[in-house]
Every structure is written in structure tokens, then in C-alpha cells.
Amino acid sequence: MSNTAVVIGGGIGGLATAVGLHGIGWNVTVIERSPTPDDAGAGISLAANGLRALDELGIGRAVRAASRNQYNGGTRTPDGNWLTRMNGAALEKAVGTPIVGIPRTTLHRLLREHLPTGTLQIGTEAGPVEQTDPTTARVTHGTTTLNADLVVAADGINSQVRNHLFPTHPHPTYSGSTVLRAITDHPIDLHTDFELTWGHGVEFGHIAFLDGRAEWHAVLDLPARTRFTDPLTELHRRFGTWHDPIPALLDATHPDAVLHHDINELPTPLPTYTVGRIALLGDAAHAMTPHLGQGACQALEDAVTLAAALATEPTVPAALTRYDTERRPRTQAVARAARQAGRMGQQLSHPLAVALRNTAMRLTPSHAATRMILRHHAWVPPRLN
């Protein structure tokens, strides 16, 4: 009789975990409260570590085929001057693959397609997780009760499972920045695959997709829960005089397509990612700011590491101990680095500090910048097959 797992959350981390567990012979149910299976995000960049995790899950080739390689671009100032240039070819040589850009809905679809029919239960919310005995955890959703050898909580930054397991742990907090983003309605003529532009306490960036469309994002330092009556008009006001192609990206966007979310994080690290037969994964375990583009990649690493541990360790408790030992130090270090990158990048607002940072970036050799990136990208996954 195969082992059984319940995964709470049908986002990237939850779906990847289900794919990994199914691949090692587990019987998996994924509970997703949203009635629609697609993520509400716009686009995503996947670095080498995330792609290697997807390779182990058996879908790396499909993801690459649906993605656009990010070979050129970099970081600029609002007047268009370059601070750093992206050398995607050098990065590819160093780690074996360039960074790629893909719509989140496409990545979600590819993950779902690798699960057996009926695995994903949408439009239903998981109830409290109960540890009924040392070998079993119980989850209810709707009128259904599931007993499992393992429950994986991939229920996001506001994880109810995490709050239940660690009721006194500090909750996620607002990072000081809010993000607006969208995908253009139609293809747009872009000369770069990826760009970031830093002003004073503000960032605008884009990712080009395979079909010629692009995802753009605008990050602003504002009070929490700030919202605009007409977001696209507000962005035209703030960014309309910035360098090309920023105005063109906004012009190519339908007003209803703009998403707006505050950027929250879990700044106080958890003492453990596992309690009994319950494992926390992705944002539920280590929600981080997006300034390194590593949130989804770390969740994918979590998924593969957990599946590999369960496939090779003699018991589920031993596998969960290994998962926690391997994942907690790395993810918490990446979260700290992402927070620091935001403070020295998009969130920096004092004119003198901005000027000093810009000068330092212009003087940094490209090979040194590549080495900094490799600290997070050069991850080798455990083997599943």
C-alpha cells in the first residue's frame, strides 16, 4: 500500500511537491481554496536552481520550451543610462542554463498536467490539521476527511497551518514596498529580455515572453494598503517620462489587467519547518521579498528536496528531519539576502546613497556580478530518478 500525502495549497510550491511525491509512488491529494486553478500573478523569472528542480520533476524541458531565455538587459536609471549589463551567455556558461521568463499561468498548467486526474481539489478550503497519532495527520475539506502519512502546508505567506503550529511566532510584516504588475495585451517590440530601472525608492522592470508579450512590474515605497482609483493612470503619471520602453509597456496594457499587492515577508525565521507529520514549504515556511527573484525557485527546491528525502530515508520522520536540516539554513539565508538586496536597490531613496550605489554598480566588473548571482543559482538538486 502506497504512502499518502495531503498538500494544502495549489500554487507553484504545492503543485511541484505533488508532482515530486507522485513521482516517487505516493498517493497525493492537493487542496486549493481558489475556485480557479491559475495563479493570480503575472510573470516569473526562473533561474538555474529552479530549472534544475523542474528537471528532476520531469518537466524542465516543457518549461524551457514555453519560456524565453533572458540573455540581454540589465539595470538602468530613469533617464536610460545603464548601471549594469546582463550577460546571460556568461551565466549560461557558468551554470548550464540562462534565466528564463514564463507566464505564471503557463507554469501552473505544466505542473498540473503532470498530475493524475483528480489529484487537485479546487474551490475547497482545508480545515485545521490534526496530528491524530505519531504516524497520521488528518485534514478535512468540505465534508471530506483525509488521513495521511504526511501533510505538506504550501498555503502561502498567510499560512493557516503555520499559524496553528506556531501561534506565538511573529506574523508576516509589510516590507515597505507595494507592487503593481501586468502582462501586456499584445506583443511589444523590445530590445532586451529583462530590465530593471531604479529611481529613488521605486523600481520598474519587465520580462519578455516567448510570444512577444511582456510582464512589467512597478515597485513603490508607500504606506501599506495604499491603493489607486485608476492604477494605470497613476503609473503613467509616475513613469511616463522614464526611458523607453516603459511608456510603451504601459500603453500596451489594459487597465483591468493591472494587479496590485503589498509585498510582505516573514522576517523572523521559523525554528523548524516540520512538526510531527506536517511540513511547511515555500512561502508558508520562508516568505521573502522578490528582490532576488528567488521565491518560486526556493519553493521548487523545497519540493524536490522533500521528495528525495522521502524516497531515500527509511522513515517519514527521518525524511522530514533531513528536509528541515537541508532547507532551513539555505532558504533563510536567501531570504536575508533578498531583504538586503531590496534595501540597497529598489528601496534606497536618499539622493547621496543612490548616487553612491549607482557609482559602485557601474564600477563593478561583470564577472564579479556573475559570481554574486551564482551564490543563489548554483544549486545541485538531489536525484529523484
Side-chain angles (χ1 to χ4, degrees):
M1 184 175 178
S2 63
N3 292 101
T4 60
V6 175
V7 178
I8 302 174
I12 292 171
L15 291 173
T17 300
V19 172
L21 295 181
H22 173 68
I24 63 170
W26 281 54
N27 182 21
V28 187
T29 299
V30 180
I31 303 172
E32 169 54 46
R33 66 181 180 182
S34 173
T36 56
D38 289 327
D39 184 75
I44 189 171
S45 290
L46 292 172
N49 53 323
L51 290 168
R52 284 180 176 146
L54 290 165
D55 287 336
E56 286 301 315
L57 296 174
I59 62 174
R61 181 176 298 178
V63 169
R64 286 179 173 86
S67 303
R68 175 166 166 169
N69 293 341
Q70 296 178 9
Y71 281 119
N72 61 80
T75 306
R76 306 171 79 174
T77 58
D79 60 7
N81 289 324
W82 290 96
L83 296 174
T84 62
R85 293 272 193 169
M86 176 187 222
N87 189 339
L91 189 60
E92 181 178 24
K93 182 178 179 180
V95 294
T97 180
I99 301 171
V100 304
I102 187 172
R104 282 180 178 263
T105 55
T106 303
L107 179 57
H108 273 238
R109 174 178 57 79
L110 293 171
L111 286 165
R112 292 196 305 271
E113 288 175 352
H114 277 71
L115 291 172
T117 302
T119 299
L120 180 60
Q121 304 293 313
I122 64 172
T124 180
E125 186 154 6
V129 180
E130 301 174 281
Q131 185 83 46
T132 56
D133 61 57
T135 64
T136 308
R138 177 179 296 162
V139 182
T140 59
H141 67 100
T143 59
T144 302
T145 298
L146 300 172
N147 292 309
D149 301 293
L150 171 68
V151 172
V152 180
D155 51 342
I157 187 170
N158 296 312
S159 170
Q160 293 302 306
V161 178
R162 184 189 64 234
N163 293 340
H164 173 69
L165 295 177
F166 303 98
T168 63
H169 191 84
H171 291 293
T173 60
Y174 181 54
S175 68
S177 300
T178 192
V179 60
L180 296 93
R181 53 189 171 167
I183 295 177
T184 60
D185 278 357
H186 52 76
I188 184 170
D189 185 22
L190 296 171
H191 301 293
T192 56
D193 302 315
F194 169 84
E195 283 186 19
L196 293 178
T197 300
W198 285 341
H200 293 75
V202 63
E203 170 185 297
F204 195 101
H206 77 252
I207 303 168
F209 293 148
L210 189 64
D211 62 4
R213 295 180 303 152
E215 186 248 26
W216 57 259
H217 70 266
V219 186
L220 312 169
D221 283 353
L222 292 170
R225 294 177 293 281
T226 298
R227 294 297 183 267
F228 305 113
T229 303
D230 186 343
L232 198 56
T233 297
E234 177 65 20
L235 293 173
H236 274 291
R237 184 185 72 81
R238 290 173 179 261
F239 298 102
T241 60
W242 285 31
H243 66 79
D244 292 332
I246 291 173
L249 288 163
L250 296 175
D251 287 339
T253 303
H254 191 280
D256 293 341
V258 180
L259 305 171
H260 189 173
H261 297 96
D262 287 347
I263 298 174
N264 297 315
E265 61 170 331
L266 193 66
T268 304
L270 288 172
T272 179
Y273 289 173
T274 65
V275 176
R277 290 296 181 107
I278 305 164
L280 296 171
L281 185 143
D283 282 351
H286 46 72
M288 61 189 68
T289 66
H291 298 100
L292 290 177
Q294 276 289 310
C297 289
Q298 291 303 308
L300 291 168
E301 287 187 19
D302 289 348
V304 171
T305 302
L306 178 59
L310 290 165
T312 56
E313 294 297 327
T315 65
V316 172
L320 293 180
T321 297
R322 173 175 150 189
Y323 166 73
D324 181 59
T325 300
E326 292 183 7
R327 294 306 301 155
R328 191 156 40 89
R330 173 164 167 80
T331 54
Q332 291 176 354
V334 173
R336 288 193 299 271
R339 186 180 309 119
Q340 184 63 21
R343 290 172 178 169
M344 297 303 296
Q346 170 263 316
Q347 292 182 323
L348 206 60
S349 59
H350 191 281
L352 179 58
V354 169
L356 289 172
R357 177 205 63 200
N358 290 355
T359 299
M361 290 183 67
R362 290 189 180 102
L363 295 176
T364 300
S366 61
H367 62 84
T370 299
R371 281 201 305 272
M372 292 176 64
I373 293 173
L374 292 179
R375 289 167 45 204
H376 309 298
H377 293 201
W379 173 80
V380 178
R383 298 304 304 270
L384 289 181
N385 300 308

